[in-house]
Amino acid sequence: MITTHISKPPFPAPLHSHSHSNAAAPLPLFRRHRHPHLSKHFSVAVAASPSDLLASVESVASAASVLASIVLVHESGHFVAATSRGIHVSQFSVGFGPALARFRLGPVEYALRAIPLGGYVGFPDDDPESGFAPDDPDLLRNRPVPDRLLVVSAGVIANLIFAFLIVYAQALTVGVPVQALLTGVLVPDVIPGSAAARAGLLPGDVILAVPGAAPDPSVPALVDLIKASPNKKVLVTVSRTGPGIRDKQSLDLTVVPDTSADGTGRIGVQLSPNFRVTRVHPRNLSEATVLAVREFTALGGTVLDGLKQTFLNFSQTAEKVSGPVAIIAVGAEVARSSADGLFQFAAVINLNLAAINLLPLPALDGGTLALILLEAARGGQKIPREIEQRIMSSGILLVLMVGMFLIVRDTLNLDFIKENL
């Protein structure tokens, strides 16, 4: 679990941070069906040659390093915002669990811990051994609302800036991927034994038309047509290429959608727009800036849309939400296939972390911000400490439970784990 503590939890915690408020950054969300060969890479690596195994270990290390650097940037945002305003800070830690290395520089203890899936910035607000008086004006809890808002939101701001810099570096080095929309609807995946499989549809086919119904199909149009046609013949024209096929083939197939529990039709495929990806290389810094802004905006929109779909259709998307094990596995797959892809992997993780952390939920930065804004709306009257700690403790407990569930589930779903159980 990626968790950011800028305060001491109201219940005993192994990190022993001392501060005033709580905030946690949960895991970025990923849909695993976009990476259908993820587990295969791991199972192959187990039985591979030493050089292949080394490459696999290096790719996993690259993905873990990206994740750790994103946590470091998030925590640095909180830390820089606090110290720049003269607010007392007692600890800065990357990782959880036992300390691998630590040192003290001035009043701050810096630590690198064994589990690089989180971190925290500690404030001495509630530490009786800190030597600071309870009414010290430079304790975080005693600072004006604007200062506290800045400190709490600085982690998110740092992630957004880092994401843009990553995209900008991508534009300057390997170029920005641009999608050119092509005719038809792509079929990336077909479920074995489904209506589509029985009809002869294969992964990689492009549906060019549904004669008499959708001469120029789109994903929404096809979905609506399939849902409205349970147990009815649907003629589709597809284009097919692949190993052993010299030229594109045009085939007419008849699909009979199965009936879902709700009475609608389904054929068991994944559909997506058909597009070709090319890379655009800027000629100067001005063009690089324009490309970076455009790509940053597009990635941000994709992340927000993904979160919206997750919350609006949670029953259907919950199993596709992945934790740190799956995220590192995805990053390792990206690193093995193309180092260029790590740019977008890192940018998307940053944007996910920023977006999720702004949700007004206990234990998230957004939850802490909501409490501070509520205090401001009450004319500066602070929320009773006991109530605030109860809210935060429930949020932290929920985040820890969800995080542990995702870690265990994603670990058990790895092929090399399944094969050895």
Side-chain angles (χ1 to χ4, degrees), residues 238-269:
V238 303
S239 173
R240 177 173 297 169
T241 59
I245 301 176
R246 298 181 58 182
D247 301 314
K248 287 185 179 180
Q249 293 181 348
S250 182
L251 306 172
D252 289 329
L253 304 176
T254 300
V255 184
V256 181
D258 296 325
T259 303
S260 301
D262 59 1
T264 60
R266 64 178 181 184
I267 63 173
V269 296

Coordinates of all heavy atoms in Angstrom, one line a residue, residues 238-269:
V238 N -15.4 -8.6 -40.4 CA -14.2 -8.3 -39.7 C -13.0 -8.3 -40.6 O -13.0 -9.0 -41.7 CB -14.0 -9.3 -38.6 CG1 -15.2 -9.4 -37.6 CG2 -13.7 -10.7 -39.1
S239 N -12.0 -7.6 -40.3 CA -10.7 -7.6 -41.0 C -9.7 -8.4 -40.1 O -9.6 -8.1 -38.9 CB -10.2 -6.2 -41.2 OG -8.9 -6.2 -41.8
R240 N -8.9 -9.3 -40.7 CA -8.0 -10.1 -39.9 C -6.6 -10.1 -40.5 O -6.5 -10.3 -41.7 CB -8.6 -11.5 -39.8 CG -7.7 -12.5 -39.0 CD -8.4 -13.8 -38.8 NE -9.6 -13.7 -38.0 CZ -10.5 -14.6 -37.9 NH1 -10.3 -15.8 -38.5 NH2 -11.5 -14.4 -37.1
T241 N -5.6 -9.9 -39.6 CA -4.2 -10.1 -40.0 C -3.6 -10.9 -38.9 O -4.1 -11.1 -37.8 CB -3.5 -8.8 -40.1 OG1 -3.6 -8.1 -38.9 CG2 -4.1 -7.9 -41.2
G242 N -2.4 -11.5 -39.2 CA -1.8 -12.3 -38.2 C -0.7 -13.2 -38.8 O -0.5 -13.1 -40.0
P243 N -0.1 -14.0 -38.0 CA 1.0 -15.0 -38.5 C 0.4 -15.9 -39.6 O -0.7 -16.4 -39.5 CB 1.3 -15.8 -37.2 CG 1.0 -14.9 -36.1 CD -0.2 -14.2 -36.5
G244 N 1.1 -15.9 -40.7 CA 0.7 -16.8 -41.8 C -0.3 -16.1 -42.7 O -0.7 -16.7 -43.8
I245 N -0.8 -14.9 -42.4 CA -1.7 -14.2 -43.3 C -0.9 -13.1 -44.0 O -0.5 -12.1 -43.4 CB -2.9 -13.6 -42.5 CG1 -3.6 -14.8 -41.8 CG2 -3.8 -12.9 -43.4 CD1 -4.7 -14.3 -40.9
R246 N -0.7 -13.2 -45.3 CA 0.1 -12.3 -46.0 C -0.7 -11.0 -46.2 O -0.1 -9.9 -46.1 CB 0.5 -12.8 -47.4 CG 1.3 -14.1 -47.3 CD 1.7 -14.6 -48.6 NE 2.4 -13.6 -49.4 CZ 2.9 -13.8 -50.7 NH1 2.6 -15.0 -51.3 NH2 3.5 -12.9 -51.3
D247 N -2.0 -11.0 -46.6 CA -2.8 -9.8 -46.8 C -3.9 -9.9 -45.8 O -4.3 -10.9 -45.3 CB -3.3 -9.8 -48.2 CG -2.1 -9.8 -49.2 OD1 -1.2 -9.0 -49.0 OD2 -2.2 -10.5 -50.2
K248 N -4.5 -8.7 -45.6 CA -5.7 -8.6 -44.7 C -6.8 -9.4 -45.3 O -7.1 -9.4 -46.5 CB -6.1 -7.2 -44.5 CG -5.2 -6.4 -43.6 CD -5.8 -5.0 -43.4 CE -4.9 -4.1 -42.5 NZ -5.4 -2.8 -42.2
Q249 N -7.5 -10.2 -44.4 CA -8.7 -10.9 -44.8 C -9.9 -10.2 -44.4 O -10.0 -9.7 -43.3 CB -8.6 -12.3 -44.2 CG -7.5 -13.2 -44.7 CD -7.6 -14.6 -44.1 OE1 -8.3 -14.8 -43.1 NE2 -6.9 -15.6 -44.7
S250 N -10.9 -10.2 -45.2 CA -12.3 -9.7 -44.8 C -13.2 -10.9 -44.7 O -13.4 -11.7 -45.6 CB -12.8 -8.7 -45.9 OG -14.0 -8.2 -45.5
L251 N -13.8 -11.1 -43.5 CA -14.6 -12.2 -43.2 C -16.0 -11.8 -42.7 O -16.1 -10.8 -42.0 CB -14.0 -13.1 -42.1 CG -12.5 -13.6 -42.4 CD1 -12.0 -14.3 -41.2 CD2 -12.5 -14.5 -43.6
D252 N -17.0 -12.5 -43.1 CA -18.3 -12.3 -42.5 C -18.6 -13.4 -41.5 O -18.6 -14.6 -41.9 CB -19.4 -12.4 -43.7 CG -19.3 -11.1 -44.5 OD1 -18.9 -10.1 -44.0 OD2 -19.6 -11.2 -45.8
L253 N -18.9 -13.1 -40.3 CA -19.1 -14.0 -39.2 C -20.5 -13.8 -38.6 O -21.0 -12.6 -38.6 CB -18.1 -13.9 -38.1 CG -16.6 -14.1 -38.6 CD1 -15.7 -13.9 -37.4 CD2 -16.4 -15.5 -39.2
T254 N -21.1 -14.8 -38.2 CA -22.4 -14.7 -37.5 C -22.3 -15.0 -36.0 O -21.9 -16.1 -35.6 CB -23.5 -15.7 -38.1 OG1 -23.6 -15.4 -39.5 CG2 -24.8 -15.5 -37.5
V255 N -22.6 -14.0 -35.2 CA -22.5 -14.2 -33.8 C -23.9 -14.2 -33.2 O -24.8 -13.4 -33.5 CB -21.7 -13.0 -33.2 CG1 -21.5 -13.2 -31.7 CG2 -20.4 -12.8 -33.8
V256 N -24.1 -15.1 -32.3 CA -25.4 -15.2 -31.6 C -25.1 -14.9 -30.1 O -24.6 -15.7 -29.3 CB -26.1 -16.6 -31.7 CG1 -27.4 -16.6 -30.9 CG2 -26.2 -17.0 -33.2
P257 N -25.4 -13.7 -29.6 CA -25.2 -13.3 -28.3 C -25.9 -14.2 -27.2 O -27.0 -14.6 -27.4 CB -25.7 -11.8 -28.2 CG -25.6 -11.4 -29.6 CD -26.0 -12.5 -30.4
D258 N -25.1 -14.5 -26.2 CA -25.7 -15.3 -25.1 C -26.6 -14.3 -24.3 O -26.5 -13.1 -24.4 CB -24.7 -15.9 -24.2 CG -23.8 -16.9 -24.9 OD1 -24.4 -17.6 -25.7 OD2 -22.6 -17.0 -24.6
T259 N -27.4 -14.8 -23.4 CA -28.3 -14.0 -22.6 C -27.7 -13.9 -21.2 O -27.4 -14.8 -20.5 CB -29.7 -14.6 -22.5 OG1 -30.3 -14.8 -23.8 CG2 -30.6 -13.7 -21.7
S260 N -27.5 -12.6 -20.8 CA -27.0 -12.3 -19.4 C -28.1 -12.5 -18.4 O -29.3 -12.7 -18.7 CB -26.5 -10.9 -19.4 OG -25.4 -10.7 -20.3
A261 N -27.7 -12.4 -17.1 CA -28.7 -12.6 -16.0 C -29.7 -11.5 -16.1 O -30.9 -11.7 -15.6 CB -27.9 -12.5 -14.7
D262 N -29.4 -10.3 -16.6 CA -30.3 -9.2 -16.7 C -31.1 -9.2 -18.0 O -31.9 -8.3 -18.2 CB -29.6 -7.8 -16.5 CG -28.6 -7.6 -17.6 OD1 -28.4 -8.5 -18.4 OD2 -27.9 -6.5 -17.5
G263 N -31.0 -10.3 -18.8 CA -31.8 -10.4 -20.0 C -31.1 -9.7 -21.2 O -31.7 -9.9 -22.3
T264 N -30.0 -9.1 -21.1 CA -29.4 -8.5 -22.2 C -28.4 -9.4 -22.9 O -28.0 -10.5 -22.3 CB -28.6 -7.2 -21.8 OG1 -27.6 -7.5 -20.8 CG2 -29.6 -6.2 -21.2
G265 N -28.0 -9.1 -24.1 CA -27.0 -10.0 -24.8 C -25.6 -9.7 -24.5 O -25.2 -8.6 -24.1
R266 N -24.8 -10.7 -24.6 CA -23.3 -10.6 -24.4 C -22.6 -11.6 -25.3 O -23.1 -12.7 -25.5 CB -22.9 -10.8 -22.9 CG -23.2 -12.2 -22.4 CD -22.8 -12.4 -21.0 NE -23.0 -13.8 -20.5 CZ -22.8 -14.2 -19.3 NH1 -22.3 -13.4 -18.4 NH2 -23.0 -15.4 -19.0
I267 N -21.4 -11.2 -25.7 CA -20.7 -12.2 -26.6 C -19.3 -12.5 -26.1 O -18.6 -13.3 -26.6 CB -20.6 -11.6 -28.0 CG1 -19.7 -10.3 -28.0 CG2 -21.9 -11.4 -28.6 CD1 -19.4 -9.8 -29.4
G268 N -18.9 -11.9 -25.0 CA -17.6 -12.2 -24.3 C -16.3 -11.7 -25.0 O -15.4 -12.5 -25.2
V269 N -16.3 -10.4 -25.4 CA -15.2 -9.8 -26.0 C -14.9 -8.5 -25.2 O -15.7 -7.9 -24.6 CB -15.3 -9.5 -27.5 CG1 -15.5 -10.8 -28.2 CG2 -16.5 -8.6 -27.7

